[in-house]
Amino acid sequence: MKPFAYTRPGDAAAAVAVVSADPSAAYLAGGTNLVDHLKLGLVEPGTLVDVTGLLPTGITPTADGGLSIGAGARNTDVAVDPRVRRHYPALSAALLAGASGQLRNMATTGGNLLQRTRCSYFADLTAPCTKRDPGQGCSAQHGWARHHAILGAPEGGCIATHPSDMAVALAAFDARVHVLGPDGERTVAATELHRLPGDDPGRDTVLEHGELITSVELPALPVAAHSTYRKVRDRASYAFALVSVAAALDVADDGTVRDVRIALGGVAHRPWRARRAEQALLGGPATDEAFRAAAAAETADARTVETEVGGNAFKIPLVAGTVTATLRGLAAYRTEAS
Ligand SMILES: Cc1cc2nc3c(=O)[nH]c(=O)nc-3n(C[C@H](O)[C@H](O)[C@H](O)COP(=O)(O)OP(=O)(O)OC[C@H]3O[C@@H](n4cnc5c(N)ncnc54)[C@H](O)[C@@H]3O)c2cc1C
Ligand code: SF4
């Protein structure tokens, strides 16, 4: 590991000033992603700016009836918060589906959103990877592409997926991410925080160097109280999503969909808000047939990769099955409860 300086400034603004002024500086939160990358030599910051203790860690009600989650809040604390569990159960379930208990105890809200892709070639300095080294080409295009993107990826370009489970639930709920930068504060919609790779796959988000996530705000959203998160992975725990679904559903007494929110994980370079599927479902019947057709509409433009060691075409039917099962579960619960 390359030597680096370590500092913990007095407050968040001072931390922003240090990182903004130094292109080689990076924030350190729980360290569960960054320290791995330091050890691998993937990143070599000159200075680590520790933001633990500088960022809010609480979960507080907002004036509009939503919740504000401090960027320093640990994943465990957010997952078990009674208000999160009651009003945004998909968020709690998404967090509990991620990593292990020990990791969740260290991982923070800000760090979770900004963790980097789990594409194995990205972490392997001997493998060509245009996300890590622009212009090198993408090893996954002719290698192990089982975990890779089917939506929003340029042909022949980076097909990495964003790994955060929490980010998928936040995208479904129209959360807002509050950021502090050298020029002051700004707010970014959770659905717009992460970007598609385009011709600049090295950038995962719209944040500029030095911008610090300070909190995440969940709006008051009645349908979110009737939500869930389903994650399909290669093992039962401690694995990243092949496909995941955060969904909320409100079905009217006549059996039609009154409100629906769907976001997908494991399918794109960013959490994928399934707006086409939502539009297809609104006002129509809450049936398996409709759920499956809506999922098919969402993946109509999917681009898959087939290689000798494993492609990702299986994700198209997996999205259909997972979306259908998730919405069926939400619809059935309402039927039993009513
Ligand atoms: C074995 C293993 C399995 C895992 N499984 C899952 C899983 O299934 N699902 C899942 O979602 N995650 C999983 N994770 C990832 C884990 O959740 C992340 O490592 C963690 O959430 C990152 O949070 P952190 O606070 O430790 O971030 P750090 O490692 O400290 O930082 C991560 C990045 O964010 C930046 N950063 C941190 N805080 C801020 C901030 N407030 N503002 C701006 N930049 C900031 C850092 O500079 C760094 O670039 C797994 C991790 C491991 C090691
Ligand atoms: S998918 Fe992206 S991160 Fe993975 S090897 Fe290709 S360019 Fe690199």
Side-chain angles (χ1 to χ4, degrees):
M1 198 190 294
K2 198 180 147 209
F4 53 83
Y6 169 90
T7 178
R8 187 191 278 178
D11 59 28
V16 169
V18 173
V19 176
S20 300
D22 178 357
S24 82
Y27 296 117
L28 173 72
T32 60
N33 193 222
L34 184 62
V35 173
D36 280 355
H37 287 183
L38 289 172
K39 290 186 202 158
L40 289 168
L42 266 175
V43 287
E44 295 184 326
T47 304
L48 277 191
V49 179
D50 190 342
V51 289
T52 53
L54 309 184
L55 290 169
T57 56
I59 301 172
T60 49
T62 58
D64 79 346
L67 286 178
S68 173
I69 300 171
R74 306 285 176 178
N75 285 180
T76 299
D77 295 329
V78 181
V80 303
D81 183 273
R83 295 157 299 179
V84 173
R85 289 173 59 123
R86 180 163 178 200
H87 299 295
Y88 309 91
L91 174 57
S92 173
L95 284 161
L96 293 174
S100 63
Q102 290 92 335
L103 284 160
R104 291 193 294 269
N105 289 344
M106 285 300 290
T108 63
T109 298
N112 188 284
L113 292 177
L114 297 184
Q115 64 175 297
R116 305 217 66 193
T117 184
R118 292 287 159 164
C119 173
S120 51
Y121 301 111
F122 175 72
D124 175 358
L125 293 178
T126 66
C129 167
T130 197
K131 180 185 254 313
R132 198 183 58 237
D133 295 309
Q136 276 207 342
C138 168
S139 296
Q141 289 282 350
H142 47 85
W144 198 73
R146 179 172 171 73
H147 273 266
H148 291 70
I150 59 170
L151 294 171
E155 188 159 13
C158 176
I159 49 172
T161 55
H162 182 71
S164 165
D165 291 293
M166 176 175 70
V168 181
L170 295 180
F173 294 155
D174 292 322
R176 294 183 287 268
V177 179
H178 293 281
V179 175
L180 182 64
D183 301 323
E185 296 177 16
R186 70 175 177 126
T187 302
V188 182
T191 47
E192 304 305 314
L193 177 69
H194 301 93
R195 54 186 295 285
L196 294 177
D199 57 7
D200 190 8
R203 288 192 71 187
D204 293 343
T205 72
V206 298
L207 298 188
E208 301 295 337
H209 178 74
E211 285 194 308
L212 178 70
I213 297 179
T214 52
S215 66
V216 172
E217 191 182 329
L218 290 160
L221 187 69
V223 71
H226 194 213
S227 67
T228 191
Y229 187 75
R230 188 178 281 242
K231 178 175 177 179
V232 181
R233 45 190 159 178
D234 281 329
R235 333 180 268 263
S237 72
Y238 211 38
F240 291 88
L242 290 167
V243 165
S244 66
V245 178
L249 182 69
D250 177 19
V251 180
D253 288 342
D254 65 358
T256 58
V257 173
R258 190 158 43 196
D259 197 359
V260 60
R261 307 293 160 115
I262 306 168
L264 305 174
V267 297
H269 199 249
R270 68 182 189 195
W272 188 268
R273 180 70 180 269
R275 296 195 191 275
R276 273 193 203 175
E278 291 175 358
Q279 281 306 316
L281 287 168
L282 268 176
T287 60
D288 271 20
E289 236 178 4
F291 300 152
R292 201 166 279 279
E298 195 62 52
T299 53
D301 299 335
R303 185 184 283 134
T304 62
V305 172
E306 278 313 304
T307 72
E308 278 182 14
V309 288
N312 59 9
F314 73 95
K315 287 193 178 185
I316 294 177
L318 189 58
V319 166
T322 313
V323 166
T324 304
T326 307
L327 294 175
R328 181 196 299 142
L330 290 169
Y333 176 78
R334 171 206 161 268
T335 308
E336 281 164 22
S338 59

